Amino acid sequence: AQSVTQPDIHITVSEGASLELRCNYSYGATPYLFWYVQSPGQGLQLLLKYFSGDTLVQGIKGFEAEFKRSQSSFNLRKPSVHWSDAAEYFCAVGEGYSTLTFGKGTMLLVSP
Amino acid sequence: EAQVTQNPRYLITVTGKKLTVTCSQNMNHEYMSWYRQDPGLGLRQIYYSMNVEVTDKGDVPEGYKVSRKEKRNFPLILESPSPNQTSLYFCASSLHTGALETQYFGPGTRLLVL
């Protein structure tokens, strides 16, 4: 069965600093990988997704993620964090007609 | 505006009192699903529907029912709510079935069962 691990429950980053959120997946084939963001009181919004091709994927709001098959990872990055990025971030994996499996989430706190 | 709406947004009820949470999308999406979100557990899928009159269980279906009589609506029914169903519920939809499809989420319904 597919699974997703987000090792960090919460991370605090200073505004303007770089960010990396970790995601590891367990899946037999090449998965489809996603990052979603949930702002306080809101539903989830898709940041980016990977399904094939270039392993570095660009998303909205200045985020990017890199698929590394050898490490079974799909880490989310942003070069300079803004206070408005404070939210909970979810990594998800799926394949074909399967439903998505979500990680448990990483809460990002941005300090002034 | 393309959106997924849920009602109510907040609900307090008592054990055993049947309730329905509605979900509606205006994007003509085929696929709809329900998730619950609990602290430390992330999102877990309750039920999903690939089209009208086609529904199937997700990872945590116990205690829930759904129906899909119309393409735009996918209500979640709790016949006899219990305190362990206190949670934040999200409805989501996508154009077609498939993991590659972008899912669009509703704003969530926070349910407290006393």
Side-chain angles (χ1 to χ4, degrees), chain B residues 67-110:
Chain B
S67 68
R68 187 91 182 272
K69 294 184 171 59
E70 306 165 283
K71 198 171 188 178
R72 64 183 294 129
N73 296 323
F74 190 47
L76 179 69
I77 303 157
L78 284 71
E79 294 270 4
S80 182
S82 62
N84 65 12
Q85 292 178 298
T86 292
S87 188
L88 178 57
Y89 292 87
F90 287 102
C91 180
S93 72
S94 61
L95 185 58
H96 300 297
T97 298
L100 191 58
E101 296 285 326
T102 298
Q103 293 203 45
Y104 296 84
F105 285 80
T109 294
R110 191 168 291 280

Side-chain angles (χ1 to χ4, degrees), chain A residues 35-47 60-61 86-90 102, chain B residues 4-6 9-10 35 37 43 88-93 103-110:
Chain A
W35 275 101
Y36 282 84
V37 60
Q38 183 181 25
S39 299
Q42 304 290 318
L44 277 73
Q45 180 185 22
L46 180 68
L47 281 176
I60 62 172
K61 304 186 181 188
E88 190 159 20
Y89 292 79
F90 292 91
F102 285 85
Chain B
V4 179
T5 57
Q6 296 178 226
R9 293 289 311 279
Y10 304 91
Y35 295 87
Q37 182 180 19
L43 276 81
L88 178 57
Y89 292 87
F90 287 102
C91 180
S93 72
Q103 293 203 45
Y104 296 84
F105 285 80
T109 294
R110 191 168 291 280

Side-chain angles (χ1 to χ4, degrees), chain A residues 38-77:
Chain A
Q38 183 181 25
S39 299
Q42 304 290 318
L44 277 73
Q45 180 185 22
L46 180 68
L47 281 176
L48 49 80
K49 62 184 177 184
Y50 169 82
F51 58 98
S52 67
D54 193 345
T55 56
L56 185 62
V57 181
Q58 302 297 321
I60 62 172
K61 304 186 181 188
F63 285 92
E64 66 178 28
E66 186 170 12
F67 170 59
K68 292 186 177 180
R69 184 191 301 275
S70 61
Q71 298 177 18
S72 297
S73 69
F74 188 56
N75 294 349
L76 182 71
R77 302 194 294 246

Side-chain angles (χ1 to χ4, degrees), chain B residues 32-70:
Chain B
M32 297 184 74
S33 64
W34 277 102
Y35 295 87
R36 61 177 288 174
Q37 182 180 19
D38 302 289
L41 297 178
L43 276 81
R44 294 178 292 168
Q45 191 177 54
I46 303 170
Y47 268 95
Y48 63 94
S49 169
M50 292 192 283
N51 215 323
V52 176
E53 301 292 1
V54 180
T55 64
D56 208 346
K57 296 177 181 178
D59 298 319
V60 288
E62 295 78 20
Y64 304 95
K65 286 175 57 177
V66 293
S67 68
R68 187 91 182 272
K69 294 184 171 59
E70 306 165 283

